[in-house]
Amino acid sequence: MELLSEPFAYGFFRQGLAVAVLVGVLCGLMGVYVVLRHMSYIGHGLSHAVFGGAVVAYVFAVDFYLGAGLWGFLAALLINYVARRRRIGADAAIGIVTTASFALGVAYISRTRSFTTNFEAALFGQILGVTAEDLAVVAAVTIGVAAFLVLGHKRLLFMTFDPEVAPIFGIRTGWMDALFALALAATIVASINVVGVTLIAATLIIPATTARLLTDSFGRMLWLSATLGGVSGLVGMYASYWLDVSSGATIVLLQASLFVLAFAWQWATGRRFAWAAAPVVTVRGRPQVMDDL
Amino acid sequence: MMSTTAAAVRTPTTSGADAPLVRFERVSASYGGPAVLLDVDLELARGALVGVVGPSGAGKTTLLRAMVGQVPRLRGRVTIDGREVRHGRVAGVGWVPQLETVDWDFPATVREVVLMGRWGRRSLRPWITREDRIDADRALERLGIGGLGDRQIRALSGGQQQRVFLARAMIGDPVLLLLDEPTSGVDLRTRDEVLHLLADLNAQGVTIVLTTHELNSVAAHLPWVVCVNRTVIAEGDPDRVFTAEILGATYDADLRVVRQDGMVLVADAAPHRMRDALRHRHDGYEHSHHEHDGVPHVHHVPDR
């Protein structure tokens, strides 16, 4: 028992643990929308764009959260705008905007040779270096994003399910898309210290995808994904302390392991991909229409 | 042989108190490129059941989208029940999308999908209330699929799926129901189900406008059709509108219309021409090489 509570003796661990759990929950919630909107690549791209913003904020001595957050938000809006051009798909728009932003950051670093310590922290995360201010920011972002997801639940659900038709039924998709982009940028900026630019996409995608394997209900998927994210943050932090491995990598590896377990469980129980196969009733090998059910 | 022109077929549906429900006044529309609709003038009567036909890219869906303010560049005026349609929500209109565009893997229940029909307003409460549940179940009952509210949308037949989206459109009690290709990609039985269902809803007073590619199996059975190719070519009872002249102008193709026992059958002449051309080539081949005079040439009969 004493062994278990040992890391709690350190203030940096307690703060790191709290941040890891909050970021896990936050990414778990946002990840559901990211995955179901088929935007997995945007999580990856936006985190790289935010890196460019972090460097620019550093250059102009602007607060990291403000500078990187605003940069990420603008990048997300720009992606939306470019993707609406008929000749450019969303994937290409994400690729252009985010890699250009990332390249800007790298170009500055290679020229001035400054920001190098922060560079590594931004790329791979430095959870044990989080301050009380970081914790407050992550907590505020988690509360803000959760409030947005709760109040906008029905509109977001409709937009995610049927983006073309939602405006016909009165959903103001332009505003909701902008707010979602803001929430996503805030999530990524808040998570950057924990898992780093390179691993944020995983924390957004893996818990949500694992939850999708386990349920066919949107509401349950939200709860499951947030729980998986929070638990993997908690256990991953513990494991990284004892294994002396990078916290971000440990958290992501744990999430990946849970995904494999869920996948294997589905396979073993025959419930694999419940959503991918329609329950077809067959009579003498011929599929029947299920009108009589 | 009845010879009709577009002008002769088009009959005004307005007279005094029977003002049209939908009115297009010199409407042109585009998505940034060339005009998809050009100078459309159209009136649709209250309580009508209308099919919009025309080739791909003729502006059928744009005509529907113009009625819900979802065309980015629109000139002219569209009114529903006397009120001008503006960008954004248009009260009293229900929309049923093409089933082929629906993400069936999405983790949503039938009830959630139906309730989306009212989530454009009063949507801040994240949970489904008891009242919501009752209304959704009532809408499902009305469409003959009561008891399926908790099902995942994928676990339904094509006909049931179409009914779910009809229920979503109907939960707001619309006066106008718009359906984009409701019979596209569905089997014959589902198509018949959908048409009967629409006839029932129409009998209950709902004005219905649908787009379709199926002239014989769908459009010919509707009481009113509108032929569109960037503009309205003709409109009226399919018995009068479906002529080789009008359909030829609408589809820019050689179509033949056969009338027998009160039924109208539209046939594409192109395959016949192709068959004739192929037969001619084949005959030439036979004459020059086999001199069979059209007698089938059997290459090989296996021994029994």
Side-chain angles (χ1 to χ4, degrees):
Chain A
M1 199 65 197
E2 210 169 282
L3 209 63
L4 278 178
S5 61
E6 182 192 304
F8 279 99
Y10 308 104
F12 68 84
F13 183 84
R14 289 196 300 273
Q15 276 178 183
L17 191 72
V19 167
V21 171
L22 285 174
V23 163
V25 171
L26 181 62
C27 287
L29 287 172
M30 284 300 286
V32 170
Y33 295 92
V34 168
V35 166
L36 291 178
R37 294 177 101 187
H38 305 289
M39 291 168 65
S40 299
Y41 186 41
I42 205 175
H44 185 72
L46 217 49
S47 59
H48 284 70
V50 161
F51 173 77
V55 175
V56 171
Y58 175 79
V59 172
F60 291 101
V62 177
D63 178 70
F64 163 78
Y65 288 114
L66 189 67
L70 196 62
W71 190 275
F73 176 49
L74 291 176
L77 290 183
L78 195 58
I79 289 166
N80 277 346
Y81 176 76
V82 176
R84 283 201 193 106
R85 308 284 95 188
R86 288 198 155 197
R87 291 186 179 196
I88 305 170
D91 52 349
I94 294 166
I96 294 164
V97 174
T98 59
T99 49
S101 178
F102 186 71
L104 182 73
V106 173
Y108 178 79
I109 291 165
S110 64
R111 186 171 165 79
T112 62
R113 300 281 163 205
S114 60
F115 195 73
T116 42
T117 318
N118 296 353
F119 180 62
E120 200 169 308
L123 282 185
F124 304 110
Q126 198 181 41
I127 198 167
L128 297 182
V130 296
T131 62
E133 186 205 350
D134 293 329
L135 178 58
V137 168
V138 172
V141 169
T142 307
I143 291 167
V145 168
F148 165 63
L149 296 182
V150 167
L151 293 175
H153 171 74
K154 289 177 175 172
R155 291 167 219 230
L156 283 166
L157 176 56
F158 198 168
M159 279 172 59
T160 307
F161 174 61
D162 211 342
E164 290 282 318
V165 174
I168 295 172
F169 282 85
I171 308 286
R172 298 174 79 177
T173 49
W175 277 105
M176 291 304 285
D177 270 337
L179 286 171
F180 186 80
L182 182 62
L184 189 58
T187 299
I188 287 169
V189 172
S191 311
I192 225 166
N193 283 331
V194 181
V195 282
V197 166
T198 48
L199 296 174
I200 284 178
T203 55
L204 277 170
I205 298 162
I206 300 176
T209 312
T210 309
R212 183 67 191 92
L213 280 174
L214 301 174
T215 181
D216 272 336
S217 154
F218 186 84
R220 274 198 295 275
M221 190 177 164
L222 275 172
W223 286 113
L224 260 174
S225 181
T227 307
L228 286 169
V231 168
S232 54
L234 180 83
V235 178
M237 269 298 287
Y238 248 114
S240 77
Y241 177 85
W242 292 111
L243 300 172
D244 196 20
V245 176
S246 151
S247 53
T250 313
I251 291 168
V252 170
L253 283 173
L254 185 63
Q255 289 175 345
S257 307
L258 291 172
F259 172 80
V260 171
L261 278 177
F263 198 86
W265 177 74
Q266 281 227 321
W267 193 272
T269 57
R271 285 189 70 245
R272 61 195 159 114
F273 310 120
W275 75 93
V280 176
V281 177
T282 57
V283 175
R284 289 183 200 142
R286 292 183 60 191
Q288 304 294 303
V289 176
M290 295 175 64
D291 279 350
D292 303 327
L293 290 176
Chain B
M1 176 81 186
M2 185 174 60
S3 174
T4 43
T5 63
V9 171
R10 196 175 297 170
T11 51
T13 49
T14 323
S15 65
D18 293 333
L21 182 69
V22 181
R23 189 196 295 257
F24 281 67
E25 293 171 54
R26 300 198 72 75
V27 171
S28 296
S30 83
Y31 294 95
V36 182
L37 292 176
L38 196 62
D39 285 337
V40 170
D41 283 307
L42 180 68
E43 290 180 354
L44 300 175
R46 209 175 290 272
L49 172 49
V50 180
V52 180
V53 300
S56 298
K60 299 188 296 294
T61 302
T62 304
L63 197 78
L64 255 56
R65 294 182 73 85
M67 294 185 221
V68 285
Q70 292 298 318
V71 180
R73 289 177 176 79
L74 189 128
R75 226 178 44 229
R77 195 162 175 262
V78 181
T79 56
I80 293 177
D81 221 359
R83 278 172 301 190
E84 185 166 353
V85 172
R86 296 186 188 282
H87 194 76
R89 187 179 168 80
V90 182
V93 181
W95 179 281
V96 179
Q98 277 189 48
L99 287 189
E100 288 163 336
T101 65
V102 174
D103 178 4
W104 297 107
D105 295 336
F106 196 88
T109 63
V110 166
R111 190 176 289 113
E112 280 171 329
V113 172
V114 172
L115 284 170
M116 285 175 191
R118 57 160 57 160
W119 285 354
R121 56 211 152 91
R122 292 186 299 152
S123 61
L124 285 179
R125 247 190 320 225
W127 59 86
I128 292 173
T129 62
R130 192 166 165 270
E131 183 194 351
D132 286 337
R133 185 178 283 266
I134 291 168
D135 290 349
D137 290 350
R138 195 176 290 150
L140 292 170
E141 288 285 347
R142 183 180 176 187
L143 290 161
I145 48 169
L148 297 183
D150 292 317
R151 288 269 183 91
Q152 210 266 337
I153 49 167
R154 191 176 184 96
L156 302 174
S157 71
Q160 290 169 335
Q161 287 171 340
Q162 188 64 274
R163 285 164 195 255
V164 170
F165 286 91
L166 270 167
R168 182 176 75 176
M170 295 298 298
I171 199 166
D173 286 326
V175 288
L176 176 64
L177 185 61
L178 306 174
L179 302 97
D180 193 12
E181 301 276 359
T183 55
S184 167
V186 299
D187 57 32
L188 298 181
R189 182 173 163 183
T190 305
R191 185 190 67 204
D192 288 351
E193 258 184 62
V194 171
L195 289 178
H196 280 109
L197 204 56
L198 292 180
D200 288 346
L201 289 173
N202 185 237
Q204 292 168 30
V206 182
T207 306
I208 297 174
V209 183
L210 60 95
T211 63
T212 182
H213 272 293
E214 296 162 81
L215 296 177
N216 292 315
S217 52
V218 178
H221 303 293
L222 299 174
W224 198 266
V225 290
V226 179
C227 297
V228 175
N229 193 343
R230 286 183 77 211
T231 191
V232 176
I233 307 290
E235 60 169 310
D237 186 323
D239 280 346
R240 298 185 64 208
V241 169
F242 282 3
T243 65
E245 185 190 359
I246 291 174
L247 292 177
T250 305
Y251 286 89
D252 196 19
D254 186 7
L255 298 174
R256 294 187 187 159
V257 179
V258 180
R259 287 187 161 75
Q260 192 171 6
D261 301 332
M263 281 173 60
V264 180
L265 191 68
V266 181
D268 183 359
H272 299 278
R273 284 203 305 274
M274 186 184 286
R275 190 193 60 191
D276 292 346
L278 288 171
R279 186 170 286 175
H280 179 72
R281 277 181 56 199
H282 190 64
D283 286 351
Y285 176 79
E286 282 182 338
H287 281 297
S288 60
H289 296 274
H290 305 288
E291 296 179 354
H292 279 170
D293 283 336
V295 177
H297 172 63
V298 181
H299 285 263
H300 175 67
V301 179
D303 297 331
R304 287 173 186 271

